[in-house]
Amino acid sequence: MSLCKRRGFIFQSSEIYGGLNGAWDYGPLGVELKRNLKNYWWRVMVQERDDVVGMDGSILTHPAVLRASGHLEGFSDPMVDSLLTGKRFRANQLEPQQGWVFNFIGAVDFDSFSNLIKEQNLPERSAIWSRVDLAPLLRQVFINSSCHIDDRRRTGYCHLPNHFEEQKELLRGLIAQRIFSASSLQPFSAMEIGSDRNVVRMSDGRHFNPAIVVAQEFYKKRDIRNPVVIMTNPQWIEHSTRYDPENGSLLTPPREFNLMFKTRTGPVEISEESLMTVSAAGATGPAAPLVTTNPRESSALTAGMSVTPEYTSTAGTTDEASVAYLRPETAQSIFVQFKNILEVSRKKLPFGIAQIGKAFRNEINPRNFTFRSREFEQMELEYFCRPEQGMELLEYWKEERLKFYENIGIRRANLHVRDVPDEERAFYSKGTYDIEYDFPFGRQELEGVAYRTDYDLKQHQHASDKSLEYFDDETKEKFIPHVVEPSAGVDRTVLALICEAYSEDQAPNDKGEMEARTVLRFHPRMAPIKCAIFPLLKNKEPLVVKAKEIVGLLRPHMTVFYDESGAIGRRYRRQDEIGTPFGITIDFETLGEKDPKLRDTVTLRERDSMKQERVKTSDLLQLLSMRIA
Ligand code: ATP
């Protein structure tokens, strides 16, 4: 990641404003690498084939398309939020935990509580204990309770072991009479994760139990600056995914979080109410943090969690007809344009439609650098066929795609094919392979190759009421074609290319001493810059002139980089670090000063082997073009 930033491959989006999570900007070298990848994909998947045509669909998508495809209903992940920190987790990725769970019925502020406890023994001097209407209630609440007050940290807990329902009611009444300067009756619970089943500790004499500390933090966020938390008997709980794995705080119940970005088209009348909806709909990630200091809102969230989060609300006075979505995959526009493209291209089955373009998913946890982003690019092919060809074509495309990755320099040993089991596959798919790569953070999906049957076209035909059938001239049959889809991620493949290329070895410096070198061993086909051109000395005019001639010769055919500054070894090293496969040095031999036979020859250095060969300038273009093709 640091090399990517330092050398201009990938930057955090909006970095100077603190960054936008899940979005990345490609710098001068990153954009070249990405283009090389997309161009090569387009070349082998579209231009070099008779049976595939391309398209470029719009990103803004009609809701009807995504309703028919199932994305509006089903494209969601279950998510939960920590009630303490607001951090969001994918519910199905939480590991089950066990431990003692402490249940809190609320909290009151330290000053009023400690006064109450201290004045208990001197009722005649206490404004509260001397009140005949309050004193019996107070005694009932605190009878059998055990309280622990920490004067130094101005916090504590009060344990009400029995009949807490009744005591809670009494406490509620007391709170209503404002005997505490700050209080909350918001329920909360926290787990002491991994605690010992045989021992329940409230405190070890010096420190409160971590679950109590978490509760104190929870109530502090709810405007009780120095909380004394009120709790009931702890319970032992196993196999639970209801608690924050990082601190034990209760999580909200799982809610389905649709991953699509919703937007609005056209001039929309904005009322105050709709403004809230618009801003929430346009937000990324945890749109409406559930931890709030607004007591009304937060108590509703914990008590029954019945508040509808803003981002799922489509209410408001805005016109529903103006709603559009940023597409979550490029595939749907291919299905929707199937009939048009079939007519204009006059292709016969099997044939494919390919597309490269942006897709957007409001991922709950964007992570692993660009691997899981909220804005990314896909390279997708929908290959239409007769039903009986589906399974065979699934195997064919899996093999083709594996060859593709090898041809861009990803070693076969680092690629793995996962036959996705029935229970994980989409219900309409008869077979899916994930092509995975050994990333430094684990083996993860690069591409999915799925046999999607006739599901998508059938859905769109049904929803639009327009025929998406294919007419077979020979058999005179009409039917909905089946489809096999290789769907790859541009950003994930760029990341795999960088991970695969990155290496460190030893190379001699200008004095011939071995030094550590960082080198990106990109396949020449993918390398952002193909060739660097160096005049040996920058202050020798004839060398510079010759070098610039070579730049002029090669530039129309490939990306080149001219560099005249610094020792030649340093210049090589800078190019090694960005993966430039070839370096050309123009020296005095090029000028014919040492040996006339060497006039118009240059040194061509290869990045990986560091071998140097003498090459005629007139041969350069052909030689390099062959190696980078
Ligand atoms: P994952 O399980 O990793 O979320 P997926 O199975 O949902 O991926 P698909 O819907 O099959 O992914 O999308 C096809 C390809 O698009 C993926 O193989 C991947 O290369 C790319 N892709 C999907 N989601 C993202 C993302 N959030 N960031 C970057 N690339 C992505």
Side-chain angles (χ1 to χ4, degrees), residues 361 363 370-373 376 378 380 445-448 487-489 492:
R361 297 181 187 178
E363 298 280 359
T370 57
F371 180 82
R372 188 172 298 286
S373 311
F376 56 96
Q378 291 185 312
E380 294 194 298
E445 174 182 333
L446 263 188
E447 166 162 355
S487 167
R492 284 190 187 176

Side-chain angles (χ1 to χ4, degrees), residues 96-103 190-201 209 232-240 243:
Q97 303 133 355
Q98 59 177 28
W100 284 105
V101 168
F102 290 62
N103 297 300
M191 179 185 265
E192 183 192 1
I193 293 174
S195 42
D196 181 348
R197 186 174 190 156
N198 301 315
V199 190
V200 197
R201 280 184 314 115
N209 184 297
T232 57
N233 284 345
Q235 288 167 280
W236 175 258
I237 290 191
E238 291 180 0
H239 309 297
S240 168
Y243 296 91

Side-chain angles (χ1 to χ4, degrees), residues 59-75 260-261 324-329 332 336 460:
I59 286 170
L60 289 176
T61 306
H62 195 297
V65 173
L66 298 161
R67 191 168 302 116
S69 67
H71 285 88
L72 265 183
E73 276 280 298
F75 194 56
M260 285 197 297
F261 285 96
Y325 291 88
L326 305 188
R327 64 183 175 191
E329 60 178 30
Q332 293 308 320
V336 172
H460 288 300

Side-chain angles (χ1 to χ4, degrees), residues 217-455:
E217 292 302 316
F218 172 82
Y219 289 106
K220 268 187 208 168
K221 291 193 170 180
R222 277 143 190 88
D223 287 346
I224 303 179
R225 204 186 298 163
N226 298 303
V228 174
V229 294
I230 298 161
M231 64 194 201
T232 57
N233 284 345
Q235 288 167 280
W236 175 258
I237 290 191
E238 291 180 0
H239 309 297
S240 168
T241 51
R242 296 284 296 113
Y243 296 91
D244 183 334
E246 291 169 10
N247 53 41
S249 159
L250 182 67
L251 300 165
T252 61
R255 284 163 306 152
E256 289 300 319
F257 176 68
N258 194 300
L259 299 180
M260 285 197 297
F261 285 96
K262 189 177 187 180
T263 187
R264 286 168 202 279
T265 55
V268 181
E269 254 202 42
I270 306 218
S271 66
E272 215 166 280
E273 190 185 352
S274 60
L275 240 181
M276 276 181 63
T277 319
V278 171
S279 66
T284 60
L290 292 174
V291 172
T292 163
T293 48
N294 174 341
R296 250 190 26 214
E297 202 180 318
S298 52
S299 66
L301 283 170
T302 40
M305 316 290 170
S306 58
V307 166
T308 311
E310 284 169 7
Y311 51 81
T312 59
S313 160
T314 52
T317 52
T318 43
D319 180 2
E320 275 303 303
S322 68
V323 167
Y325 291 88
L326 305 188
R327 64 183 175 191
E329 60 178 30
T330 63
Q332 293 308 320
S333 53
I334 298 182
F335 296 127
V336 172
Q337 292 297 352
F338 168 75
K339 200 68 181 209
N340 277 336
I341 294 177
L342 177 66
E343 272 163 23
V344 297
S345 65
R346 306 180 60 225
K347 292 284 175 206
K348 300 263 176 281
L349 288 183
F351 81 96
I353 305 176
Q355 178 167 210
I356 298 179
K358 290 264 186 178
F360 301 81
R361 297 181 187 178
N362 202 358
E363 298 280 359
I364 295 172
N365 296 322
R367 61 176 183 273
N368 293 332
F369 200 12
T370 57
F371 180 82
R372 188 172 298 286
S373 311
R374 292 193 169 127
E375 173 175 343
F376 56 96
E377 259 179 297
Q378 291 185 312
M379 306 182 281
E380 294 194 298
L381 169 69
E382 302 304 324
Y383 197 75
F384 300 97
C385 62
R386 302 181 63 89
E388 61 275 18
Q389 295 170 308
M391 289 311 279
E392 199 184 311
L393 282 167
L394 176 68
E395 298 301 315
Y396 167 82
W397 279 112
K398 175 196 74 186
E399 292 303 321
E400 284 298 295
R401 298 304 304 145
L402 286 168
K403 268 189 251 161
F404 174 89
Y405 289 111
E406 287 185 78
N407 287 340
I408 59 173
I410 297 185
R411 279 162 292 180
R412 185 66 184 81
N414 292 337
L415 292 167
H416 305 274
V417 177
R418 193 168 83 95
D419 190 350
V420 180
D422 290 355
E423 62 277 11
E424 281 181 45
R425 265 198 328 258
F427 70 91
Y428 49 78
S429 169
K430 281 206 178 151
T432 299
Y433 291 118
D434 280 350
I435 300 181
E436 300 179 323
Y437 175 72
D438 287 326
F439 285 98
F441 44 85
R443 187 172 292 177
Q444 299 277 353
E445 174 182 333
L446 263 188
E447 166 162 355
V449 185
Y451 173 25
R452 300 174 66 108
T453 64
D454 56 357
Y455 174 77

